[in-house]
mmCIF file of all heavy atoms in Angstrom:
data_model
loop_
_atom_site.group_PDB
_atom_site.id
_atom_site.type_symbol
_atom_site.label_atom_id
_atom_site.label_comp_id
_atom_site.label_asym_id
_atom_site.label_seq_id
_atom_site.Cartn_x
_atom_site.Cartn_y
_atom_site.Cartn_z
ATOM 1 N N TYR A 141 -2.498 18.680 50.753
ATOM 2 C CA TYR A 141 -3.424 19.502 49.982
ATOM 3 C C TYR A 141 -4.674 19.824 50.784
ATOM 4 O O TYR A 141 -5.165 19.015 51.571
ATOM 5 C CB TYR A 141 -3.814 18.778 48.689
ATOM 6 C CG TYR A 141 -2.625 18.482 47.801
ATOM 7 C CD1 TYR A 141 -1.984 17.241 47.846
ATOM 8 C CD2 TYR A 141 -2.113 19.453 46.945
ATOM 9 C CE1 TYR A 141 -0.883 16.970 47.052
ATOM 10 C CE2 TYR A 141 -1.010 19.193 46.144
ATOM 11 C CZ TYR A 141 -0.399 17.951 46.203
ATOM 12 O OH TYR A 141 0.700 17.690 45.418
ATOM 13 N N ASN A 142 -5.177 21.020 50.566
ATOM 14 C CA ASN A 142 -6.456 21.473 51.107
ATOM 15 C C ASN A 142 -7.281 21.985 49.932
ATOM 16 O O ASN A 142 -7.257 23.171 49.635
ATOM 17 C CB ASN A 142 -6.256 22.584 52.140
ATOM 18 C CG ASN A 142 -5.632 22.075 53.427
ATOM 19 O OD1 ASN A 142 -6.302 21.490 54.256
ATOM 20 N ND2 ASN A 142 -4.324 22.297 53.579
ATOM 21 N N THR A 143 -7.984 21.119 49.287
ATOM 22 C CA THR A 143 -8.746 21.333 48.054
ATOM 23 C C THR A 143 -7.833 21.186 46.835
ATOM 24 O O THR A 143 -6.598 21.204 46.939
ATOM 25 C CB THR A 143 -9.460 22.705 47.982
ATOM 26 O OG1 THR A 143 -8.478 23.741 47.803
ATOM 27 C CG2 THR A 143 -10.258 22.961 49.247
ATOM 28 N N GLY A 144 -8.456 21.088 45.661
ATOM 29 C CA GLY A 144 -7.714 20.944 44.418
ATOM 30 C C GLY A 144 -8.466 20.057 43.444
ATOM 31 O O GLY A 144 -9.525 19.494 43.747
ATOM 32 N N LEU A 145 -7.897 19.947 42.251
ATOM 33 C CA LEU A 145 -8.405 19.051 41.215
ATOM 34 C C LEU A 145 -7.300 18.035 40.942
ATOM 35 O O LEU A 145 -6.203 18.397 40.517
ATOM 36 C CB LEU A 145 -8.752 19.839 39.949
ATOM 37 C CG LEU A 145 -9.276 19.027 38.760
ATOM 38 C CD1 LEU A 145 -10.585 18.333 39.117
ATOM 39 C CD2 LEU A 145 -9.481 19.920 37.539
ATOM 40 N N PHE A 146 -7.584 16.758 41.198
ATOM 41 C CA PHE A 146 -6.595 15.692 41.106
ATOM 42 C C PHE A 146 -6.947 14.807 39.905
ATOM 43 O O PHE A 146 -8.046 14.243 39.845
ATOM 44 C CB PHE A 146 -6.593 14.867 42.387
ATOM 45 C CG PHE A 146 -6.329 15.681 43.631
ATOM 46 C CD1 PHE A 146 -7.343 16.427 44.226
ATOM 47 C CD2 PHE A 146 -5.065 15.714 44.205
ATOM 48 C CE1 PHE A 146 -7.113 17.190 45.361
ATOM 49 C CE2 PHE A 146 -4.822 16.474 45.349
ATOM 50 C CZ PHE A 146 -5.846 17.208 45.922
ATOM 51 N N VAL A 147 -6.020 14.695 38.956
ATOM 52 C CA VAL A 147 -6.283 13.964 37.720
ATOM 53 C C VAL A 147 -5.242 12.857 37.567
ATOM 54 O O VAL A 147 -4.053 13.128 37.376
ATOM 55 C CB VAL A 147 -6.257 14.896 36.493
ATOM 56 C CG1 VAL A 147 -6.525 14.099 35.224
ATOM 57 C CG2 VAL A 147 -7.279 16.017 36.649
ATOM 58 N N LEU A 148 -5.690 11.609 37.655
ATOM 59 C CA LEU A 148 -4.815 10.445 37.565
ATOM 60 C C LEU A 148 -5.055 9.729 36.247
ATOM 61 O O LEU A 148 -6.175 9.319 35.940
ATOM 62 C CB LEU A 148 -5.080 9.492 38.731
ATOM 63 C CG LEU A 148 -4.306 8.192 38.714
ATOM 64 C CD1 LEU A 148 -2.815 8.423 38.935
ATOM 65 C CD2 LEU A 148 -4.833 7.220 39.774
ATOM 66 N N ASP A 149 -4.003 9.587 35.456
ATOM 67 C CA ASP A 149 -4.060 8.891 34.172
ATOM 68 C C ASP A 149 -3.269 7.596 34.312
ATOM 69 O O ASP A 149 -2.068 7.623 34.591
ATOM 70 C CB ASP A 149 -3.465 9.776 33.071
ATOM 71 C CG ASP A 149 -3.579 9.158 31.679
ATOM 72 O OD1 ASP A 149 -3.444 7.923 31.551
ATOM 73 O OD2 ASP A 149 -3.794 9.905 30.712
ATOM 74 N N LEU A 150 -3.925 6.464 34.124
ATOM 75 C CA LEU A 150 -3.221 5.192 34.276
ATOM 76 C C LEU A 150 -3.666 4.193 33.221
ATOM 77 O O LEU A 150 -4.791 4.232 32.718
ATOM 78 C CB LEU A 150 -3.431 4.616 35.673
ATOM 79 C CG LEU A 150 -4.822 4.162 36.085
ATOM 80 C CD1 LEU A 150 -4.723 3.194 37.253
ATOM 81 C CD2 LEU A 150 -5.668 5.342 36.523
ATOM 82 N N ASP A 151 -2.722 3.303 32.881
ATOM 83 C CA ASP A 151 -3.010 2.235 31.926
ATOM 84 C C ASP A 151 -3.576 1.001 32.607
ATOM 85 O O ASP A 151 -4.274 0.207 31.984
ATOM 86 C CB ASP A 151 -1.728 1.838 31.170
ATOM 87 C CG ASP A 151 -1.268 2.909 30.198
ATOM 88 O OD1 ASP A 151 -2.050 3.836 29.910
ATOM 89 O OD2 ASP A 151 -0.113 2.826 29.726
ATOM 90 N N MET A 152 -3.255 0.844 33.883
ATOM 91 C CA MET A 152 -3.681 -0.367 34.589
ATOM 92 C C MET A 152 -3.786 -0.090 36.080
ATOM 93 O O MET A 152 -2.977 0.643 36.648
ATOM 94 C CB MET A 152 -2.678 -1.502 34.359
ATOM 95 C CG MET A 152 -3.006 -2.799 35.044
ATOM 96 S SD MET A 152 -1.790 -4.104 34.662
ATOM 97 C CE MET A 152 -2.522 -5.486 35.543
ATOM 98 N N ALA A 153 -4.805 -0.673 36.720
ATOM 99 C CA ALA A 153 -4.951 -0.658 38.168
ATOM 100 C C ALA A 153 -4.988 -2.107 38.642
ATOM 101 O O ALA A 153 -5.477 -2.990 37.931
ATOM 102 C CB ALA A 153 -6.218 0.073 38.582
ATOM 103 N N PRO A 154 -4.482 -2.409 39.842
ATOM 104 C CA PRO A 154 -4.399 -3.796 40.319
ATOM 105 C C PRO A 154 -5.771 -4.442 40.511
ATOM 106 O O PRO A 154 -6.740 -3.778 40.890
ATOM 107 C CB PRO A 154 -3.675 -3.660 41.661
ATOM 108 C CG PRO A 154 -3.017 -2.320 41.625
ATOM 109 C CD PRO A 154 -3.907 -1.456 40.801
ATOM 110 N N TRP A 155 -5.842 -5.748 40.272
ATOM 111 C CA TRP A 155 -7.059 -6.502 40.545
ATOM 112 C C TRP A 155 -6.688 -7.981 40.661
ATOM 113 O O TRP A 155 -5.587 -8.395 40.325
ATOM 114 C CB TRP A 155 -8.114 -6.304 39.448
ATOM 115 C CG TRP A 155 -7.658 -6.703 38.066
ATOM 116 C CD1 TRP A 155 -6.956 -5.935 37.186
ATOM 117 C CD2 TRP A 155 -7.856 -7.976 37.437
ATOM 118 N NE1 TRP A 155 -6.705 -6.626 36.028
ATOM 119 C CE2 TRP A 155 -7.246 -7.885 36.158
ATOM 120 C CE3 TRP A 155 -8.482 -9.160 37.804
ATOM 121 C CZ2 TRP A 155 -7.255 -8.957 35.263
ATOM 122 C CZ3 TRP A 155 -8.489 -10.224 36.911
ATOM 123 C CH2 TRP A 155 -7.883 -10.108 35.644
ATOM 124 N N GLY A 156 -7.627 -8.746 41.151
ATOM 125 C CA GLY A 156 -7.431 -10.190 41.292
ATOM 126 C C GLY A 156 -7.879 -10.673 42.664
ATOM 127 O O GLY A 156 -8.000 -9.896 43.609
ATOM 128 N N CYS A 157 -8.131 -11.957 42.780
ATOM 129 C CA CYS A 157 -8.588 -12.533 44.042
ATOM 130 C C CYS A 157 -7.561 -12.282 45.145
ATOM 131 O O CYS A 157 -6.370 -12.548 44.968
ATOM 132 C CB CYS A 157 -8.805 -14.036 43.882
ATOM 133 S SG CYS A 157 -10.261 -14.457 42.901
ATOM 134 N N GLY A 158 -8.044 -11.741 46.260
ATOM 135 C CA GLY A 158 -7.169 -11.456 47.389
ATOM 136 C C GLY A 158 -6.467 -10.118 47.297
ATOM 137 O O GLY A 158 -5.716 -9.748 48.200
ATOM 138 N N VAL A 159 -6.695 -9.368 46.204
ATOM 139 C CA VAL A 159 -6.017 -8.080 45.997
ATOM 140 C C VAL A 159 -6.958 -6.947 46.412
ATOM 141 O O VAL A 159 -8.139 -6.940 46.069
ATOM 142 C CB VAL A 159 -5.600 -7.904 44.522
ATOM 143 C CG1 VAL A 159 -4.950 -6.540 44.302
ATOM 144 C CG2 VAL A 159 -4.647 -9.021 44.116
ATOM 145 N N TRP A 160 -6.399 -5.969 47.136
ATOM 146 C CA TRP A 160 -7.184 -4.816 47.609
ATOM 147 C C TRP A 160 -6.369 -3.553 47.314
ATOM 148 O O TRP A 160 -5.628 -3.068 48.157
ATOM 149 C CB TRP A 160 -7.455 -4.974 49.106
ATOM 150 C CG TRP A 160 -8.258 -3.883 49.734
ATOM 151 C CD1 TRP A 160 -8.983 -2.912 49.136
ATOM 152 C CD2 TRP A 160 -8.402 -3.662 51.137
ATOM 153 N NE1 TRP A 160 -9.574 -2.100 50.058
ATOM 154 C CE2 TRP A 160 -9.237 -2.547 51.298
ATOM 155 C CE3 TRP A 160 -7.901 -4.299 52.282
ATOM 156 C CZ2 TRP A 160 -9.581 -2.037 52.556
ATOM 157 C CZ3 TRP A 160 -8.250 -3.793 53.519
ATOM 158 C CH2 TRP A 160 -9.090 -2.686 53.652
ATOM 159 N N PRO A 161 -6.473 -3.009 46.100
ATOM 160 C CA PRO A 161 -5.702 -1.808 45.737
ATOM 161 C C PRO A 161 -6.450 -0.540 46.109
ATOM 162 O O PRO A 161 -7.662 -0.552 46.312
ATOM 163 C CB PRO A 161 -5.579 -1.928 44.218
ATOM 164 C CG PRO A 161 -6.876 -2.568 43.827
ATOM 165 C CD PRO A 161 -7.239 -3.529 44.957
ATOM 166 N N ALA A 162 -5.720 0.577 46.178
ATOM 167 C CA ALA A 162 -6.390 1.824 46.522
ATOM 168 C C ALA A 162 -5.584 3.031 46.075
ATOM 169 O O ALA A 162 -4.366 3.006 46.034
ATOM 170 C CB ALA A 162 -6.625 1.888 48.030
ATOM 171 N N PHE A 163 -6.332 4.084 45.726
ATOM 172 C CA PHE A 163 -5.757 5.406 45.482
ATOM 173 C C PHE A 163 -6.589 6.345 46.340
ATOM 174 O O PHE A 163 -7.788 6.479 46.146
ATOM 175 C CB PHE A 163 -5.859 5.761 44.004
ATOM 176 C CG PHE A 163 -5.495 7.186 43.682
ATOM 177 C CD1 PHE A 163 -4.298 7.731 44.108
ATOM 178 C CD2 PHE A 163 -6.357 7.983 42.948
ATOM 179 C CE1 PHE A 163 -3.975 9.052 43.816
ATOM 180 C CE2 PHE A 163 -6.035 9.295 42.645
ATOM 181 C CZ PHE A 163 -4.854 9.820 43.083
ATOM 182 N N TRP A 164 -5.966 6.980 47.325
ATOM 183 C CA TRP A 164 -6.749 7.684 48.327
ATOM 184 C C TRP A 164 -5.994 8.863 48.906
ATOM 185 O O TRP A 164 -4.795 9.020 48.701
ATOM 186 C CB TRP A 164 -7.198 6.727 49.436
ATOM 187 C CG TRP A 164 -6.162 5.825 50.015
ATOM 188 C CD1 TRP A 164 -5.552 4.765 49.406
ATOM 189 C CD2 TRP A 164 -5.609 5.868 51.338
ATOM 190 N NE1 TRP A 164 -4.665 4.163 50.268
ATOM 191 C CE2 TRP A 164 -4.683 4.805 51.453
ATOM 192 C CE3 TRP A 164 -5.826 6.701 52.442
ATOM 193 C CZ2 TRP A 164 -3.964 4.572 52.619
ATOM 194 C CZ3 TRP A 164 -5.111 6.441 53.609
ATOM 195 C CH2 TRP A 164 -4.193 5.387 53.681
ATOM 196 N N GLN A 165 -6.724 9.673 49.664
ATOM 197 C CA GLN A 165 -6.140 10.823 50.352
ATOM 198 C C GLN A 165 -6.658 10.842 51.777
ATOM 199 O O GLN A 165 -7.808 10.506 52.035
ATOM 200 C CB GLN A 165 -6.525 12.141 49.675
ATOM 201 C CG GLN A 165 -5.979 12.304 48.271
ATOM 202 C CD GLN A 165 -6.369 13.634 47.674
ATOM 203 O OE1 GLN A 165 -7.360 14.221 48.031
ATOM 204 N NE2 GLN A 165 -5.574 14.110 46.738
ATOM 205 N N ALA A 166 -5.792 11.227 52.702
ATOM 206 C CA ALA A 166 -6.228 11.345 54.089
ATOM 207 C C ALA A 166 -5.225 12.169 54.863
ATOM 208 O O ALA A 166 -4.179 12.559 54.353
ATOM 209 C CB ALA A 166 -6.402 9.966 54.724
ATOM 210 N N PHE A 167 -5.541 12.401 56.130
ATOM 211 C CA PHE A 167 -4.704 13.236 56.986
ATOM 212 C C PHE A 167 -4.339 12.446 58.236
ATOM 213 O O PHE A 167 -5.196 11.923 58.925
ATOM 214 C CB PHE A 167 -5.493 14.484 57.393
ATOM 215 C CG PHE A 167 -4.810 15.375 58.386
ATOM 216 C CD1 PHE A 167 -4.042 16.437 57.965
ATOM 217 C CD2 PHE A 167 -4.949 15.153 59.751
ATOM 218 C CE1 PHE A 167 -3.428 17.282 58.884
ATOM 219 C CE2 PHE A 167 -4.330 15.983 60.670
ATOM 220 C CZ PHE A 167 -3.574 17.040 60.233
ATOM 221 N N TYR A 168 -3.039 12.312 58.512
ATOM 222 C CA TYR A 168 -2.586 11.613 59.703
ATOM 223 C C TYR A 168 -1.598 12.471 60.466
ATOM 224 O O TYR A 168 -0.899 13.306 59.894
ATOM 225 C CB TYR A 168 -1.882 10.299 59.330
ATOM 226 C CG TYR A 168 -2.835 9.207 58.970
ATOM 227 C CD1 TYR A 168 -2.760 8.584 57.734
ATOM 228 C CD2 TYR A 168 -3.824 8.810 59.852
ATOM 229 C CE1 TYR A 168 -3.632 7.580 57.408
ATOM 230 C CE2 TYR A 168 -4.702 7.807 59.521
ATOM 231 C CZ TYR A 168 -4.602 7.195 58.304
ATOM 232 O OH TYR A 168 -5.459 6.207 57.971
ATOM 233 N N TRP A 169 -1.484 12.186 61.752
ATOM 234 C CA TRP A 169 -0.486 12.896 62.545
ATOM 235 C C TRP A 169 0.898 12.563 62.040
ATOM 236 O O TRP A 169 1.792 13.379 62.009
ATOM 237 C CB TRP A 169 -0.618 12.532 64.021
ATOM 238 C CG TRP A 169 0.321 13.309 64.885
ATOM 239 C CD1 TRP A 169 1.460 12.872 65.478
ATOM 240 C CD2 TRP A 169 0.197 14.689 65.232
ATOM 241 N NE1 TRP A 169 2.059 13.888 66.182
ATOM 242 C CE2 TRP A 169 1.299 15.018 66.049
ATOM 243 C CE3 TRP A 169 -0.731 15.679 64.937
ATOM 244 C CZ2 TRP A 169 1.490 16.279 66.574
ATOM 245 C CZ3 TRP A 169 -0.527 16.931 65.469
ATOM 246 C CH2 TRP A 169 0.568 17.219 66.270
ATOM 247 N N TYR A 170 1.084 11.320 61.658
ATOM 248 C CA TYR A 170 2.351 10.919 61.059
ATOM 249 C C TYR A 170 2.231 11.040 59.554
ATOM 250 O O TYR A 170 1.150 10.942 58.988
ATOM 251 C CB TYR A 170 2.708 9.486 61.467
ATOM 252 C CG TYR A 170 2.881 9.338 62.942
ATOM 253 C CD1 TYR A 170 1.883 8.774 63.722
ATOM 254 C CD2 TYR A 170 4.026 9.814 63.572
ATOM 255 C CE1 TYR A 170 2.025 8.664 65.089
ATOM 256 C CE2 TYR A 170 4.167 9.714 64.945
ATOM 257 C CZ TYR A 170 3.171 9.140 65.707
ATOM 258 O OH TYR A 170 3.315 9.045 67.052
ATOM 259 N N ARG A 171 3.350 11.218 58.905
ATOM 260 C CA ARG A 171 3.350 11.437 57.465
ATOM 261 C C ARG A 171 2.788 10.232 56.726
ATOM 262 O O ARG A 171 2.073 10.348 55.767
ATOM 263 C CB ARG A 171 4.785 11.714 56.979
ATOM 264 C CG ARG A 171 4.936 11.785 55.486
ATOM 265 C CD ARG A 171 4.245 12.994 54.914
ATOM 266 N NE ARG A 171 4.912 14.200 55.319
ATOM 267 C CZ ARG A 171 4.550 15.395 54.945
ATOM 268 N NH1 ARG A 171 3.495 15.540 54.176
ATOM 269 N NH2 ARG A 171 5.192 16.448 55.348
ATOM 270 N N PHE A 172 3.092 9.034 57.201
ATOM 271 C CA PHE A 172 2.662 7.845 56.485
ATOM 272 C C PHE A 172 1.211 7.500 56.804
ATOM 273 O O PHE A 172 0.749 7.675 57.908
ATOM 274 C CB PHE A 172 3.560 6.654 56.852
ATOM 275 C CG PHE A 172 4.982 6.857 56.472
ATOM 276 C CD1 PHE A 172 5.938 7.084 57.443
ATOM 277 C CD2 PHE A 172 5.371 6.860 55.149
ATOM 278 C CE1 PHE A 172 7.254 7.289 57.098
ATOM 279 C CE2 PHE A 172 6.686 7.056 54.807
ATOM 280 C CZ PHE A 172 7.629 7.270 55.779
ATOM 281 N N CYS A 173 0.547 6.951 55.826
ATOM 282 C CA CYS A 173 -0.840 6.570 56.028
ATOM 283 C C CYS A 173 -0.919 5.278 56.823
ATOM 284 O O CYS A 173 -0.072 4.420 56.714
ATOM 285 C CB CYS A 173 -1.526 6.398 54.686
ATOM 286 S SG CYS A 173 -1.557 7.921 53.770
ATOM 287 N N LEU A 174 -1.955 5.147 57.624
ATOM 288 C CA LEU A 174 -2.117 3.983 58.466
ATOM 289 C C LEU A 174 -3.134 3.003 57.906
ATOM 290 O O LEU A 174 -3.344 1.944 58.456
ATOM 291 C CB LEU A 174 -2.561 4.421 59.872
ATOM 292 C CG LEU A 174 -1.632 5.433 60.542
ATOM 293 C CD1 LEU A 174 -2.179 5.810 61.899
ATOM 294 C CD2 LEU A 174 -0.231 4.871 60.670
ATOM 295 N N ILE A 175 -3.785 3.384 56.821
ATOM 296 C CA ILE A 175 -4.769 2.507 56.203
ATOM 297 C C ILE A 175 -4.307 2.249 54.777
ATOM 298 O O ILE A 175 -3.867 3.144 54.089
ATOM 299 C CB ILE A 175 -6.160 3.161 56.186
ATOM 300 C CG1 ILE A 175 -6.628 3.370 57.616
ATOM 301 C CG2 ILE A 175 -7.157 2.305 55.435
ATOM 302 C CD1 ILE A 175 -7.958 4.039 57.707
ATOM 303 N N CYS A 176 -4.392 1.030 54.339
ATOM 304 C CA CYS A 176 -3.755 0.716 53.066
ATOM 305 C C CYS A 176 -4.650 -0.137 52.209
ATOM 306 O O CYS A 176 -4.442 -1.326 52.120
ATOM 307 C CB CYS A 176 -2.454 -0.005 53.312
ATOM 308 S SG CYS A 176 -2.623 -1.391 54.431
#
Side-chain angles (χ1 to χ4, degrees):
Y141 300 96
N142 290 281
T143 71
L145 179 62
F146 303 80
V147 180
L148 176 68
D149 184 323
L150 66 160
D151 290 346
M152 180 178 183
W155 59 275
C157 288
V159 178
W160 181 13
F163 171 52
W164 48 290
Q165 295 181 334
F167 174 93
Y168 282 123
W169 184 255
Y170 298 102
R171 173 68 68 178
F172 298 108
C173 298
L174 304 179
I175 296 178
C176 50

